[in-house]
Amino acid sequence: MVFAHDTELALQAAVVLANTALEPETLHTPEDFTAIWAEFGYTGRHDANEAELESIRALRPRLRRLLTSSRDEAVQIVNEMLAELHATPQLVRHDPFDWHIHAVPLDAPLATRIAVETAMAMVDVIRADEMSRFSLCADDACDGVVLDLSRNRSRRFCSSACGNRNAVAAYRSRQRASARGPSTN
Ligand SMILES: [Zn+2]
Ligand SMILES: [Zn+2]
C-alpha cells in the first residue's frame, strides 16, 4: 500500500468521479451516482436527489484539475478547498473503521464531503511527493485520469475498457506484422 487505506479509497473515488464527466457522460440520475458510489463504502449523508447530483456533477471539473495539476498547483487548490469548506480535521471512529480523520461532519452535504476528503487525501500525496501517481490515460482518444497505486507503477489506462481496447489493437498490429513476414531489408 502506498498511502493509508482511507487515503487510497478517497483518491480512487475522486478519480472515478472525475472520469464520469468524460464523453459519454455517465452521471444522469441520482441512481447512476449511487451505483458508482456504493463500491467506495462512503458513510454519512446521502440525499440521493437531483440537487445533490447537480452539486456532485459541478464538483467534477475541480476534482479533475486537482488530480491532473502540478504539485505546486495542487497545493494551491487543496488549500483553497480546505479553507473555503471550513475543514476541521477530527479523529473519529465509527463502524466499520478504526480511528481515522473526518474534516467535515458526516451530515455535511455529500459534495462538500467528497471535496474535503479528496483534498485531505491530496495532502498525503503532496507531502509524500507522489503526484506522479496520476497521469492521463495512454489511450489516444481518452482523457481519463489514471491513478497508479501499484508497486511497479505499471498502470497506463484509466479503465479496463481502455486497457482491453489497446491490448486488442496491439495484438492485431503484431498479427499484421507477422502476416507480412520477417522484414528482409
Ligand atoms: Zn469515517
Ligand atoms: Zn481511458
Side-chain angles (χ1 to χ4, degrees):
M1 203 156 54
V2 184
F3 303 106
H5 178 68
D6 54 342
T7 296
E8 295 201 345
L9 214 55
L11 296 175
Q12 279 159 344
V15 166
V16 166
L17 190 55
N19 285 345
T20 63
L22 298 169
E23 290 297 326
E25 164 75 58
T26 43
L27 275 192
H28 297 288
T29 65
E31 291 73 32
D32 291 340
F33 174 78
T34 304
I36 292 169
W37 214 235
E39 81 179 85
F40 293 105
Y42 259 64
T43 49
R45 178 172 164 190
H46 177 26
D47 299 344
N49 59 19
E50 289 293 336
E52 184 183 73
L53 180 71
E54 260 327 296
S55 60
I56 287 166
R57 287 170 56 129
L59 173 63
R60 297 179 304 182
R62 202 174 188 191
L63 291 183
R64 183 183 170 87
R65 247 189 339 272
L66 173 57
L67 302 172
T68 57
S69 64
S70 70
R71 189 174 181 223
D72 287 2
E73 285 163 351
V75 167
Q76 215 166 39
I77 299 170
V78 164
N79 283 345
E80 274 168 20
M81 282 167 101
L82 293 177
E84 180 185 312
L85 299 170
H86 309 292
T88 309
Q90 298 280 297
L91 281 161
V92 295
R93 183 159 63 182
H94 61 78
D95 274 345
F97 305 109
D98 193 13
W99 291 113
H100 59 289
I101 297 176
H102 283 190
V104 280
L106 274 172
D107 60 354
L110 189 49
T112 301
R113 289 194 292 123
I114 295 170
V116 169
E117 298 246 332
T118 307
M120 293 292 293
M122 291 301 287
V123 166
D124 287 3
V125 175
I126 292 164
R127 290 173 65 225
D129 198 4
E130 290 279 358
M131 287 300 288
S132 62
R133 296 283 170 181
F134 295 99
S135 61
L136 288 180
C137 186
D139 184 300
D140 293 337
C142 178
D143 284 327
V145 179
V146 179
L147 169 61
D148 189 354
L149 294 173
S150 67
R151 194 182 295 268
N152 59 357
R153 297 184 182 247
S154 53
R155 187 150 184 191
R156 295 167 56 229
F157 299 101
C158 72
S159 62
S160 46
C162 280
N164 292 339
R165 194 166 53 245
N166 281 272
V168 169
Y171 174 74
R172 291 211 176 115
S173 86
R174 275 197 306 275
Q175 274 196 323
R176 275 195 301 275
S178 63
R180 279 198 300 271
S183 62
T184 51
N185 52 346

